[in-house]
Amino acid sequence: MRVLDLSTVLAGPLASSLLGEFGAEVIKVEQPGTGDPARGYPPLEDGVSVGWAVVGRNKSSVTVDLHHPEAAALVGRLAATADVVVTNFRPATLRRFSIDFDDLVAYRPDLVMVHVSAFGRTGPYADRPGFARVAEAFAGLTHRTGFPDGPPVFAGYPVADGVTGIYAAFAAMLALRQRDRTGEPQLADIGLYEPLLRMMEDFIVDYDVTGEVRGRQGNENPHISPNNLYRTGDGRWLALPASTEQMWRRLITVMKAPDLAVHDSISARIEHRAEIEGRVAAFVAAHDLESLTELLAEAGVACGPVNTAADICADPHMRARGSVVEVTDEHDGRTRLVQGSAGRFSGFEQRIDRGAPRLGEHTRAVLEDLGLASTTIDDLAGRGVV
């Protein structure tokens, strides 16, 4: 499968990256001279973002100035060879560049386009700009994040880009399946906020039934107790969610607290949350993180450390699973630690066989593959089209 990546920064590029990690050929179109803005995000190494090693891997880079009047026809020729186009320009921008869905379907009648935009292609906000943090706030996630006595806060990472990037890759597979069944072109229209809203299962239905707006609860869970982050005796933090009756019974057994068995339902534990959270906090504080994690795991209690990047890179399970892998940059020979792909499959596996490309590194080769003569490519470059 060939993917034409007409997107920038994170959500769209993540979608194409995920497809590329499992075998798709990805051709990324970038602005001549500057490239994807993600190339410039600090920290930099030799003038290029170190994060580019993850964002750009397994892709070919072709530079095309989409503002140039001849660019649309060139993008159309690229789309004619692609199964999927991924883009995250605003709808009005796609129309202005003449590379919207209807424009590109003229070049490939069974094309699949995955279009991620801040608010989607329809509705009164369709052409408003937006980024991950805007989407998180719009979807209500920011309202729910933080402590009750404080202001709303962003999550520690712009999760809208990640969640929507994954959802966009999923949408591409759905659309490809439909295309293969019908032979018809497919447009997947995804607002950046929508996967986040879908993800918060309780948010809207709770309001609909109770009339109450769910607010910030810090690390507590509105439906489960105990479910929190607890500080250990050696000053680290443990995530401990007793989300089922079985998990609760195992936990109080390890705690040697049979008196807590009287709270034998989730509703009862929520009613007595303060007492329960205090008892669990005191129990955790009496142990070091490593020994307590082993003790709880042996008892079948779900828990885990709050890891830093250093913890993750040193963790033997992360390495054994390939969650963190070493890759060597083919351009400078440097070895870097990067995230691997999520999931393991019986019949195929991820591939990280190409490092992130230099800007425009593959322009000539890709255009020659389209049938353009070398002199034509020189002319396009001379006139600033590529």
Side-chain angles (χ1 to χ4, degrees):
M1 184 175 69
R2 174 176 277 193
V3 177
L4 183 61
D5 185 348
L6 298 174
S7 60
T8 61
V9 189
L10 287 179
L14 174 60
S16 64
S17 288
L18 293 173
L19 298 173
E21 288 167 14
F22 290 99
E25 176 192 3
V26 182
I27 298 174
K28 181 173 180 62
V29 173
E30 301 187 71
Q31 178 69 19
T34 56
D36 191 316
R39 289 179 178 268
Y41 289 170
L44 304 179
E45 195 171 62
D46 297 333
V48 178
S49 172
V50 296
W52 184 245
V54 179
V55 176
R57 68 190 185 194
N58 287 345
K59 299 180 181 181
S60 300
S61 173
V62 174
T63 52
V64 180
D65 184 357
L66 297 178
H67 302 84
H68 196 285
E70 295 181 44
L74 195 56
V75 171
R77 293 187 65 168
L78 288 167
T81 70
D83 297 281
V84 178
V85 171
V86 177
T87 186
N88 59 359
F89 290 110
R90 276 187 275 172
T93 302
L94 288 180
R95 293 192 295 269
R96 187 171 74 251
F97 288 159
S98 297
I99 55 171
D100 203 356
F101 179 62
D102 291 338
D103 299 306
L104 298 184
V105 165
Y107 291 89
R108 172 144 186 175
D110 63 349
L111 184 70
V112 167
M113 176 182 275
V114 178
H115 185 191
V116 176
S117 60
F119 297 96
R121 294 170 63 95
T122 61
Y125 306 155
D127 278 314
R128 287 187 182 181
F131 294 104
R133 295 308 196 184
V134 175
E136 290 159 21
F138 189 68
L141 178 63
T142 309
H143 169 75
R144 294 186 64 171
T145 307
F147 287 88
D149 57 353
V153 298
F154 290 137
Y157 184 81
V159 294
D161 280 325
V163 173
T164 305
I166 296 167
Y167 196 94
F170 165 64
M173 302 309 295
L174 292 176
L176 281 167
R177 173 65 170 160
Q178 181 71 357
R179 190 275 306 271
D180 291 345
R181 286 169 59 91
T182 66
E184 298 173 351
Q186 302 294 322
L187 172 62
D189 166 19
I190 304 168
L192 190 60
Y193 73 92
E194 290 176 316
L196 285 177
L197 183 60
R198 174 62 182 85
M199 178 183 72
M200 295 185 289
E201 305 282 1
D202 61 342
F203 194 34
I204 301 303
V205 69
D206 281 9
Y207 168 71
D208 181 55
V209 171
T210 68
E212 297 178 4
V213 174
R214 182 71 64 188
R216 292 178 287 284
Q217 292 192 257
N219 293 321
E220 294 179 352
N221 185 300
H223 303 295
I224 301 168
S225 179
N227 185 316
N228 216 316
L229 299 178
Y230 304 95
R231 192 157 196 169
T232 60
D234 55 350
R236 298 185 66 187
W237 292 91
L238 181 77
L240 181 54
S243 301
T244 65
E245 295 299 328
Q246 184 180 53
M247 207 62 66
W248 166 245
R249 294 174 190 133
R250 291 173 182 173
L251 175 60
I252 60 177
T253 299
V254 175
M255 291 174 61
K256 299 179 181 178
D259 59 303
L260 291 179
V262 67
H263 306 307
D264 60 353
S265 70
I266 291 176
S267 296
R269 290 193 291 278
I270 291 173
E271 183 180 351
H272 296 87
R273 186 192 296 274
E275 174 195 357
I276 290 169
E277 295 287 351
R279 292 280 295 274
V280 174
F283 166 73
V284 172
H287 297 78
D288 289 347
L289 177 69
E290 187 172 348
S291 61
L292 180 57
T293 301
E294 290 295 328
L295 176 66
L296 291 170
E298 288 174 5
V301 177
C303 69
V306 177
N307 280 334
T308 66
D311 297 328
I312 289 169
C313 291
D315 189 278
H317 186 84
M318 295 281 187
R319 292 300 187 94
R321 284 278 295 176
S323 304
V324 174
V325 296
E326 292 184 355
V327 298
T328 301
D329 190 300
E330 59 207 55
H331 300 106
D332 57 25
R334 292 179 175 134
T335 299
R336 295 177 174 84
L337 287 174
V338 299
Q339 300 97 311
S341 293
R344 302 295 172 261
F345 303 88
S346 62
F348 55 93
E349 60 185 20
Q350 64 168 325
R351 64 176 181 90
I352 306 175
D353 54 8
R354 293 179 61 181
R358 301 284 174 87
L359 181 60
E361 179 180 347
H362 306 96
T363 301
R364 183 170 294 275
V366 170
L367 295 184
E368 286 178 347
D369 187 53
L370 292 180
L372 275 67
S374 182
T375 53
T376 302
I377 298 171
D378 291 340
D379 177 62
L380 291 171
R383 293 185 293 106
V385 184
V386 300

